[in-house]
Amino acid sequence: MIFKGLKEKSIRKTIQKVLSKPMGLDKCEGVLHSLAIIIDYDKLVDYKPLLNIAKAINISNENIFILGYVDKMYKNVNYLIPVFSDSSIGMNGKIKTDELGSFLKREYDIVINYFTEPNIYLELVSVLSKSSLKVGISEKSEAINNLVLKVNEKDFSQFNSELVKYLTILKRI
């Protein structure tokens, strides 16, 4: 229990260190070509409605990358998307798994943080994701997102329409 507390404290410091650097909004221009979606897989197993967002913002299926967080990874479970857990991340936010590492190595035009409950591991992955535009749905995560759309987590169509509206304003679609 003490080690978990120390680990989370070191991860919080890593998050603060990354957030203290400029987010790179100056690169936030042009049409979107790639999309990353980070979800809490335990709470949102049906992620398929989020794929409609990609269609609405004209991103092809091969340029969509979804990553889910689970409290505990089971070897016998066939997860439909790449997942990670707190055991995938070590002290100071060190990445331990190849799936998570390859997700974080890619650059994305937009990252959607589709989770509402505060979770240090989801926040770390979001902060470490390489993107000039990060969109979230929780006002609790305003520090890690450039744009927060305050919508109900289950209302995918409202999120979709709000995202399209703001991306149009930003001239990204």
Side-chain angles (χ1 to χ4, degrees), residues 65-98:
F65 303 92
I66 301 176
L67 181 69
Y69 170 81
V70 292
D71 283 331
K72 183 161 172 70
M73 288 178 62
Y74 297 100
K75 293 181 181 179
N76 298 350
V77 175
N78 184 15
Y79 298 103
L80 300 175
I81 60 172
V83 296
F84 72 100
S85 69
D86 56 345
S87 63
S88 305
I89 300 172
M91 292 294 282
N92 298 319
K94 185 175 188 273
I95 306 304
K96 293 181 171 180
T97 61
D98 292 336

Side-chain angles (χ1 to χ4, degrees), residues 85-160:
S85 69
D86 56 345
S87 63
S88 305
I89 300 172
M91 292 294 282
N92 298 319
K94 185 175 188 273
I95 306 304
K96 293 181 171 180
T97 61
D98 292 336
E99 284 183 329
L100 182 55
S102 66
F103 181 86
L104 292 174
K105 285 179 185 173
R106 288 189 193 97
E107 289 192 26
Y108 307 101
D109 293 323
I110 182 172
V111 172
I112 296 175
N113 298 308
Y114 209 83
F115 55 89
T116 55
E117 296 297 317
N119 182 311
I120 193 163
Y121 302 103
L122 283 166
E123 291 171 10
L124 176 69
V125 170
S126 175
V127 166
L128 294 177
S129 298
K130 297 176 187 171
S131 176
S132 59
L133 180 60
K134 295 179 183 174
V135 179
I137 60 171
S138 173
E139 59 192 46
K140 297 172 187 168
S141 63
E142 287 179 345
I144 62 173
N145 295 307
N146 306 104
L147 175 64
V148 177
L149 304 176
K150 297 175 184 170
V151 297
N152 185 337
E153 189 174 15
K154 304 291 183 198
D155 194 352
F156 296 108
S157 63
Q158 182 184 8
F159 177 79
N160 194 354

